[in-house]
Structure formats: structure tokens, C-alpha cells
Amino acid sequence: MNVLGKQRDFFTRQKTKDVSFRKEALKRLQKEIIAREDDIAEAIYKDFKKPKFETLAAETQFVLAELKLTLKNIDNWASPERKSASLMNWPSSDWIYREPYGAVLIIAPWNYPFQLAFAPMIAAVAAGNTVVVKPSEVTPHTASIISEIISAVFVPEHVTVVEGGVEVSQELLAEKWDYIFFTGSTRVGQIVYESAAKHITPVTLELGGKNPTIVDETASINLAAKRIVWGKFLNAGQTCIATDYILVHREVKDKLVAALKQNITKCYGENIEQSPDFSRTVSKSHYDGLKEMLVGEEILFGGNSNDEDNYLAPTLVNEPNLDCKLMHGEIFGPILPIIAYENEDDIEKHLTNYGKPLATYIFSNRKSFQKKIINRYSFGGGAINDTVIQITNKNLPFGGVGASGIGAYHGKRSFDLFSHQKAIVKKANWLDAPLRYPPYNLPLQIVKKIKHLF
Ligand code: NAD
């Protein structure tokens, strides 16, 4: 029997319906991650020199926080939830039961390879599903430690890892799953969605996008530059919610560029290649693609690279054309185009040129401007006067819209995402109002007022 068959068999035996079974498994996982935290940081460092500080903060501690929250609340989240009953059904008590979908497939990308495999997996297990995790082949050291941790904690018929690249992913997608959670590019998201449609399998698609950061003439420029630099060059720009390009009011452009340069040097020193705090581009092909984007562009800062270890410096690009490679799709690397705007029509022209992004950031001290951008444009989420930080609040949904994805997770939302919500009305027997049964004798004038009973 293949992996999926074994997991289906295990699920059918109802073991995962027991919340204490799920809790025990998650506690074992918590212990294992804590014990292997340094090994995880080492593995990700080997893959693309991600600074250990960033791994602890954005990968392991992030996942441990999700685990802690889940363990604390799982009994409550998994209990039937009483809802107020409608008069129509009176006398009754009305409930939502959360049931696991069954066999879940999680396909993860390479940029936060630990977090993006484990955060959805924890929720899927908490909700009572079996899980197959397919980590990214682009970060092989991390994929193997993910596999080691999962096989140390779970029996494979409950949770397992299938390592491999595109072909393995396609083989998995050809199977009939009960839920697919995919994080990756919009291009592959479309392939996943098509495969899922064949079986009417529900999906979450956590995709990318071209995220604008708008800096208006009232913004606190130095602080804006500091926060943009942090969010953009974290993980060497390989963050799905990082700024993709800056739209800055012409009046403050020079000041912003100077402040960006100053902050890059402050964060990474004069010799950025030697900085222990700056990651590498993950692969040769990704690196080559980024370098190609720079051909013919006016570079304001950076632009230097080293083919030996895919090092590309934080790079500021001045006023690229909208039809150039750099402005065609998501950059996903340490290149930051800076484009001046004169008025709100210019902003509109840029923002509507791409699909709905995963994130948008607004640096402004004008409340009316902040409000206008939030209300007028559709995007996954964002921040005012900062970047990236929306991901750190587990009470906020994390997900895209339109081309940047379907569905959102984190915190309790993740538990709900992997649960089918079953509506149950528990009807009392001591009264059975005759009005709904044929022959229909209720005057139609009264039927027209029935809405008050729903
Ligand atoms: P990717 O789409 O190339 O790969 C993601 C996963 O899909 C990998 O496991 C890979 O093996 C698999 N895959 C690749 N090609 C496939 C195919 N043809 N058929 C089936 N499976 C295939 O993405 P990536 O390069 O690993 O990650 C970068 C992208 O992910 C960026 O676009 C980024 O914005 C996005 N991303 C989104 C989020 C989010 O939360 N929304 C988070 C991280 C990354």
C-alpha cells in the first residue's frame, strides 16, 4: 500500500479523532524541535547562509509559538461550538462540529523552509488529519532535517515526509487528497489548483505577488528607510511579503534614497559580502535570473555579486521601465526598484498594473492617505509605517487575494482551515409545530412574514 493508502486506512480507524492523541503527538513534536533547534539553524545556514538569528526568530520560534498556542487552545477549538438557534427550528440547540478533512497534502517552498512546512502541518495535525509534507528540493539540508524530525515524532501513517522535486510533487498531486495546502509561486499555484479541481479537493494557496511600498511626502523618511531596508533585505529579499518596489513622492525621493543607502550600510557594514547577517540567493538559477533583471538598469547602490556562492548585494535601482524584466513579475531577491510619483493617478497606474499583491505598505503621516490606499486597492494584508510585521500577530489572517492566493491561516484560523465545519441542529421532541407540513394551511400573507423566524 502506498503512503496515502496507509494514511487513509489510519484515518478510518478514528485514531486522529481523539484530541488527546493529537495533543500527545504535538507535545512530542515540541520537544523534538526544541532539542534540534541548533541543528535546524545549521541546516538552513548550509542551504543559503540564512543568519541563525533569522532562523530562530522567523522559523523555529515562530513555529514553537504556533505550537504553544495550539496546545493551549486545542481542547476548546476542537469542542462543538454552540450557536444561537433560529426561532424557525425551535425548540432546538444548534452547533458547529469541527471534523478533520482526512488526508492532507502540504507542499512547501524553500524561502522559509522550516516555518512553511511546519506551521500548516501543526494545524492539520491539531485538527485531526493525517499529513504528507513535501518540502522544497531547493533547500535539501532543511528537507532532510524536516524528514528526520517528523519520522522521530510520528508514525508514517499519521504524518510523513516525501522528499523530491517537481516530479514527486506532480505524482503526489495526481492522487486524490482531502485537502491541499500549497505555498509557492503563482505559476505553480495554478497547477496545484487544476490538479485539485479534478477531485474537487479544497485548497489553500499561499502565493506571491509584486508588493508595493508607497512613501508619501509626509512620511518620516529616516524611519521609513530603516523599516523598508529591514523587511526587504531580511532573507536577502526572498520573503513573500517583502517590498517588491517603492513608489515614492518625487519631493522626498532623494532624501529616501540617501536614507536607504545609509541604512543598508548600517545594517550590513561596508563589506556586505562578509556580513554574517546577510543571506545568499538560494540557487544558481535564481541568482542568474536576478542578475539578468539588472542588465541595462541604472543602479543607485550595490549591484555587485559573486558567482561562487550566489551572493548578490542589496541593490537599489533607479526608475526602471514598467516593461522591463525587473518590473514584469515578482523579484524575490535583494533588488529594490525606486520609482517616483507625482500624484495619486501615478500610484493608481502602478498598483493596477499587476495582480492583487500579497502585501502593500504605506509610509505616510496622513491618515486620509493611509485610509484611501487601504480602501481603494485590494491586497492580502500589509502595514502602515512598517513592513512585514503583519505576519507576527497570530490574531491576524495571513493570506493573499486574487493572484496572491486563496485562504488565510495562523492561530485559530489555521485549525479552522483544516477542519470541515459541520452544522448540526439538535431538535427537541417534546413539540412538533404542524405549520411546515403539507397540506399547507397557513395563509400566504403570514408565510410572507416568515423571515422574522429565521
Ligand atoms: P515554487 O512554486 O517554485 O515551488 C513550491 C513547491 O512546489 C516546491 O515544493 C516545488 O517542489 C513544487 N513545485 C515546483 N514546480 C512544480 C510543478 N511544476 N508542479 C508541481 N509542484 C511543483 O516556489 P518557490 O520558488 O519554492 O518559492 C517562492 C515562491 O513562493 C514566491 O513566489 C513566493 O512569493 C512564494 N511564497 C509565498 C508565501 C506565502 O505565504 N504566500 C510564502 C513563501 C513563499
Side-chain angles (χ1 to χ4, degrees), residues 106-112 115-116 134-138 164-171 173 181-189 191-192 195 205-209 211 238-241 282 286 330 332 358 391 398-400 404-405 409-410:
I106 293 172
I107 300 179
W110 54 263
N111 63 328
Y112 288 83
Q115 183 209 126
L116 298 171
K134 210 296 281 166
S136 173
E137 70 283 13
V138 181
V166 176
E167 272 171 32
V168 168
S169 190
Q170 285 171 345
E171 276 169 32
L173 285 169
F181 187 103
F182 171 80
T183 309
S185 60
T186 301
R187 180 186 67 81
V188 180
I191 297 172
V192 172
S195 316
L205 301 175
E206 292 281 338
L207 311 177
N211 307 323
Q238 302 165 119
T239 301
C240 55
I241 48 172
V282 75
H286 189 48
E330 184 185 18
F332 216 60
L358 186 58
I391 195 175
F398 183 77
S404 58
Y409 71 132
H410 288 171

Side-chain angles (χ1 to χ4, degrees), residues 55-220:
T55 294
L56 295 187
E59 307 255 16
T60 50
Q61 289 296 314
F62 186 98
V63 164
L64 287 168
E66 200 77 40
L67 253 173
K68 189 172 163 208
L69 184 83
T70 305
L71 282 166
K72 186 171 164 216
N73 294 291
I74 187 170
D75 287 314
N76 182 23
W77 293 346
S79 300
E81 182 187 355
R82 186 151 185 186
K83 303 304 263 184
S84 51
S86 64
L87 268 178
M88 190 77 131
N89 290 340
W90 189 80
S92 74
S93 70
D94 294 16
W95 300 83
I96 297 175
Y97 279 71
R98 286 175 171 78
E99 69 172 22
Y101 282 102
V104 170
L105 171 65
I106 293 172
I107 300 179
W110 54 263
N111 63 328
Y112 288 83
F114 189 81
Q115 183 209 126
L116 298 171
F118 276 90
M121 185 273 263
I122 287 162
V125 168
N129 301 280
T130 63
V131 186
V132 169
V133 179
K134 210 296 281 166
S136 173
E137 70 283 13
V138 181
T139 40
H141 295 97
T142 315
S144 60
I145 200 159
I146 289 173
S147 185
E148 280 168 35
I149 291 173
I150 288 182
S151 62
V153 171
F154 300 96
V155 288
E157 49 273 38
H158 185 198
V159 184
T160 196
V161 172
V162 175
E163 287 189 58
V166 176
E167 272 171 32
V168 168
S169 190
Q170 285 171 345
E171 276 169 32
L172 288 167
L173 285 169
E175 305 267 12
K176 182 182 183 324
W177 298 89
D178 298 307
Y179 202 99
I180 300 175
F181 187 103
F182 171 80
T183 309
S185 60
T186 301
R187 180 186 67 81
V188 180
Q190 282 173 328
I191 297 172
V192 172
Y193 205 12
E194 266 179 43
S195 316
K198 288 193 189 112
H199 303 292
I200 320 199
T201 298
V203 291
T204 296
L205 301 175
E206 292 281 338
L207 311 177
K210 207 159 174 63
N211 307 323
T213 288
I214 305 163
V215 183
D216 85 352
E217 65 279 27
T218 69
S220 309

Side-chain angles (χ1 to χ4, degrees), residues 37-50:
E37 197 169 18
D38 291 340
D39 301 341
I40 297 162
E42 191 55 42
I44 304 182
Y45 185 81
K46 276 188 193 150
D47 280 329
F48 60 113
K49 290 202 176 163
K50 190 195 281 246

